Amino acid sequence: MYPEHLGHLPAERAVTIHQPVPLAPVQAAPLVPVQPGGIPAVASIVLPDGRVVTGYAINPVQPEPVAAKPAVSRAAVNIALGGIGFGAVCGGLLLLTTFIAALTALITQLITLAAVIFGGWIAVQVFSASGHRDGTTVNIRKAVFKRNHFHG
């Protein structure tokens, strides 16, 4: 086993402890003016303790302009458009109901016409049958039913 596992450190592994050193407060120094143009110039700031900090000057971020509210609210526009759409649909529904009513009247007239023609054909068959003597005619004058038997 290694000695560090037993709680002992070898001499070559001595621990060095560093204590933090507090920084002196920094006062803002005047900025070096930036050259006009597309590429910003490198600016340098001299701190009160004599140190020089160099870097690019950054323009402050401009806030986005607030969008102006429209004179009419979105809800009012949506309601108006809904009313226009409803009016257009009502016109179509009126045409649809008119079409359905006309189709119903046509079907009713066709059924009535079929009933008249079929009824006329049946009437012709019934009334014309009495004039024909082609079939066998059976005349029953006296019919006696006894014990479910027919005696003529």
Side-chain angles (χ1 to χ4, degrees):
M1 292 187 116
Y2 296 107
E4 57 264 10
H5 291 301
L6 300 174
H8 302 286
L9 293 175
E12 67 268 3
R13 296 182 112 200
V15 178
T16 306
I17 299 173
H18 295 282
Q19 296 293 331
V21 178
L23 295 174
V26 178
Q27 296 177 356
L31 290 174
V32 177
V34 178
Q35 297 175 357
I39 300 174
V42 176
S44 297
I45 299 174
V46 180
L47 298 176
D49 61 354
R51 291 182 293 166
V52 178
V53 178
T54 305
Y56 290 103
I58 299 174
N59 294 332
V61 178
Q62 297 292 331
E64 292 289 328
V66 178
K69 281 193 154 189
V72 179
S73 70
R74 287 187 181 266
V77 171
N78 290 339
I79 291 171
L81 290 176
I84 292 171
F86 183 73
V89 168
C90 284
L93 288 176
L94 181 64
L95 289 176
L96 182 65
T97 55
T98 305
F99 173 75
I100 291 172
L103 187 63
T104 304
L106 176 67
I107 291 172
T108 304
Q109 288 177 356
L110 289 176
I111 291 172
T112 305
L113 179 64
V116 167
I117 291 174
F118 186 67
W121 180 76
I122 290 176
V124 168
Q125 294 300 320
V126 168
F127 291 125
S128 67
S130 62
H132 294 294
R133 300 282 177 180
D134 296 344
T136 303
T137 304
V138 177
N139 292 322
I140 301 174
R141 299 194 187 266
K142 268 187 177 178
V144 178
F145 290 94
K146 288 185 180 178
R147 295 186 193 151
N148 293 329
H149 293 288
F150 175 72
H151 300 282

